[in-house]
Each structure stands twice: as C-alpha cells, then as structure tokens.
C-alpha cells in the first residue's frame, strides 16, 4: 500500500492532481475539498489509498488520514466501489457520513449521485457497526460543514487550473448569484458541480 505521496504539485484538475515525486508524476484522484488545498508549484503531502484492479492501479488522495480511513471502510459495503466512495466524500465530510449511517439518515445518503434508497439502506445495514460515531466537534452534522466554505474551495480549484484570483472571484460570485436566485434556500450542490458551473462562467 502507498500510504501517502509527498512532492511538488505539478498539475491539478477538477478530478485529481499530479504530484511530482522525485521526477515521477503520480496521478492522484481526489475530492474537490482535497484539491482546494493543493496549489500548483507548492509542496504537498497527500494521504493515499491504492486501488488495484486487473487492468489498472489507481491512487486516491485525501485531505487527511481520517478521510482515507472512511474511504476504505465505505468500500466494505456491498456495491460501493472506490468511485462511489469518493463521491460520498465529495458530498459529505467523514463525520457527516458517520452521523448519517448511525442515525439511518437515508435522505442524506441519497444526496450522493449513484445512491438510491435501497443502496442507502444496504449501506446503513452493513456499515453502522463498522463506521463508528462522529469523532469531530460538529457532532456529525452533515454537509453544511463542507458546504459553508464552498466559495473558497471553488476559488482555489479555479486558481489551481490557471485562472487569476480576480477571474476566480468573479466566477464564484456569479455562481453564488445563480444559487441565490435559482435554488432559494436549498443547500448548495457538491463542490464538484459548483466548480463545473464556475468553469462554464469563465468559458463564456
């Protein structure tokens, strides 16, 4: 297992980053929140999990060891592969997922693209005794803890992709305005969706 990679951030995109480790570029798939903390050109140490398939070796990267632990635990549930586990962490923090599973909050789980009601029920059934309770100070409150700083995460994502801070700010403001007028009190979508919306604003 590759527990972490450490080196210069050579590139970053909407779905992952490339870390230059002694001249070898390692592609690491990450959540938007993890990517928001990676600046191209900076040194970074990223906890990782290596997923081995017959035709591929894929590195997944995380903001911290707890996120990686939850990612690996999620995959012990039937029907949950690495892509879906990563999607779950893109929508919810680790503690939010622990809280959702412990409290059998199917609504929170079905907010993740690819998880229906039956899938959520299976995840609760198989993981409620393995995932444990929330460990942070938020008491397991779900996604608002991650949704609140979405502006900064999207801004950093745009800057990592090469846009100026001024352009990134303008795009984030435009997306925020759309949310205010279009969803009227609803929760912000996942950061990945917001980042894509911001990129559309910049491409016009």
């Amino acid at each position: 297992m590759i527990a972490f990679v450490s080196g210069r951030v050579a590139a970053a995109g909407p779905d992952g980053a490339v870390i230059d480790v002694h001249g070898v570029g390692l592609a690491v798939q990450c959540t938007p929140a993890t990517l928001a903390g990676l600046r191209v050109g900076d040194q970074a140490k990223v906890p990782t999990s290596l997923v081995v398939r017959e035709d591929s070796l894929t590195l997944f990267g995380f903001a911290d060891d707890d996120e990686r632990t939850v990612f690996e635990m999620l995959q012990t549930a039937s029907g949950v592969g690495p892509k879906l586990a990563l999607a779950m962490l893109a929508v919810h923090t680790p503690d939010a997922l622990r809280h959702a599973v412990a409290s059998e909050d199917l609504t929170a789980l079905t907010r993740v693209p690819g998880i229906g009601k039956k899938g959520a029920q299976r995840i609760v059934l198989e993981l409620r005794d393995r995932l444990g309770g929330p460990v942070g100070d938020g008491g397991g409150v779900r996604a608002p803890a991650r949704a609140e700083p979405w502006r900064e995460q999207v801004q950093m994502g745009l800057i990592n992709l090469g846009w100026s801070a001024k352009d990134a700010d303008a795009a984030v403001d435009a997306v925020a305005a759309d949310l205010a007028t279009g969803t009227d009190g609803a929760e912000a979508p996942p950061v990945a969706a917001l980042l894509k919306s911001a990129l559309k604003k910049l491409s016009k």
Side-chain angles (χ1 to χ4, degrees):
M1 175 181 176
I2 300 176
F4 67 87
V5 296
S6 180
R8 182 180 62 86
V9 181
D15 302 318
V18 176
I19 309 296
D20 183 344
V21 182
H22 301 299
V24 178
L26 296 179
V28 183
Q29 295 190 24
C30 309
T31 65
T34 302
L35 287 170
L38 301 176
R39 289 177 177 269
V40 174
D42 284 358
Q43 293 292 313
K45 181 178 179 180
V46 182
T48 57
S49 179
L50 178 64
V51 175
V52 180
R53 295 288 184 267
E54 289 184 3
D55 58 349
S56 66
L57 297 173
T58 307
L59 267 180
F60 292 85
F62 308 95
D64 53 39
D65 291 337
D66 184 45
E67 195 173 65
R68 177 183 61 195
T69 297
V70 171
F71 170 81
E72 293 174 346
M73 184 62 68
L74 290 171
Q75 293 176 72
T76 65
S78 303
V80 178
K83 295 287 188 182
L84 185 55
L86 196 69
M88 294 172 75
L89 286 165
V91 174
H92 298 299
T93 64
D95 265 359
L97 287 170
R98 290 188 180 100
H99 183 265
V101 170
S103 63
E104 300 185 19
D105 187 349
L106 302 183
T107 300
L109 293 173
T110 55
R111 287 194 180 94
V112 178
I115 297 182
K117 185 177 179 180
K118 289 184 178 179
Q121 290 173 331
R122 183 175 63 249
I123 289 169
V124 167
L125 181 64
E126 296 185 16
L127 293 183
R128 60 187 171 193
D129 294 328
R130 302 184 207 168
L131 209 53
V135 298
D137 295 331
V141 176
R142 63 172 175 72
R146 179 160 285 183
E148 186 68 22
W150 72 264
R151 294 175 67 104
E152 180 181 354
Q153 293 173 10
V154 172
Q155 181 190 38
M156 288 303 304
L158 293 172
I159 292 173
N160 284 338
L161 290 172
W163 297 95
S164 69
K166 182 178 179 181
D167 287 340
D169 283 340
V172 168
D173 287 342
V175 172
D178 286 350
L179 287 175
T181 58
T183 58
D184 192 22
E187 290 181 13
V191 174
L194 293 167
L195 180 59
K196 289 179 181 178
S197 296
L199 287 169
K200 289 181 180 178
K201 299 288 185 185
L202 289 167
S203 65
K204 290 182 179 179

